Amino acid sequence: VQLQASGGGLVQAGASLRLSCTASGGTFTNMPQAWFRQAPGKEREFVARQVWGGTITYYGDSVNGRFTVSRDNSKNTVALQMDSLKPEDTAIYYCAARRSPAYLGPNPTPDLFDYWGQGTQVTVSS
């Protein structure tokens, strides 16, 4: 499975961006998926994920209430709507997927995921 993330860019604080992650060479349908981000000099951190079926979503503490994750299995895509962006949201954003459908919990770590997109840069100016 290859993942392709897109939608990043340079915006001012308070603006919105929508990231998309598209899978090819396979299907997202039964794969747990998540968004992570990594700022310069920092570890990769969990941002958001939606449990397959869309009934439950989890968010990192720093983005909860501002970001919304969604998935469209018919299009094999996952989206991350980012509102009220802050300079501290500046990072490379990655989409990831996992082969095993086993439960991941509310704050999964990067090592639990098998497939990664190339990342898309989000820069928020003050």
Side-chain angles (χ1 to χ4, degrees):
V1 175
Q2 291 80 46
L3 305 179
Q4 178 76 36
S6 62
L10 170 63
V11 297
Q12 291 188 330
S16 298
L17 279 175
R18 184 176 180 87
L19 306 183
S20 292
C21 179
T22 301
S24 60
T27 178
F28 261 152
T29 304
N30 294 320
M31 286 187 175
Q33 182 277 339
W35 287 96
F36 288 82
R37 68 184 183 186
Q38 189 166 17
K42 295 187 176 181
E43 293 186 351
R44 194 166 295 190
E45 69 168 338
F46 168 72
V47 174
R49 78 179 190 93
Q50 183 179 58
V51 174
W52 180 73
T55 57
I56 300 173
T57 53
Y58 296 110
Y59 297 94
D61 290 342
S62 60
V63 307
N64 196 20
R66 300 186 296 120
F67 289 12
T68 304
V69 63
S70 61
R71 63 192 299 168
D72 186 338
N73 288 327
S74 66
K75 296 182 180 179
N76 226 18
T77 61
V78 179
L80 182 67
Q81 177 67 37
M82 305 186 297
D83 298 319
S84 302
L85 283 162
K86 304 176 181 179
E88 49 264 43
D89 294 319
T90 295
I92 299 175
Y93 284 71
Y94 298 90
C95 60
R98 172 181 164 96
R99 284 191 296 266
S100 170
Y103 179 66
L104 286 171
N107 190 16
T109 52
D111 61 291
L112 295 175
F113 292 82
D114 304 297
Y115 306 104
W116 291 85
Q118 85 289 358
T120 184
Q121 176 72 48
V122 172
T123 304
V124 185
S125 63
S126 57

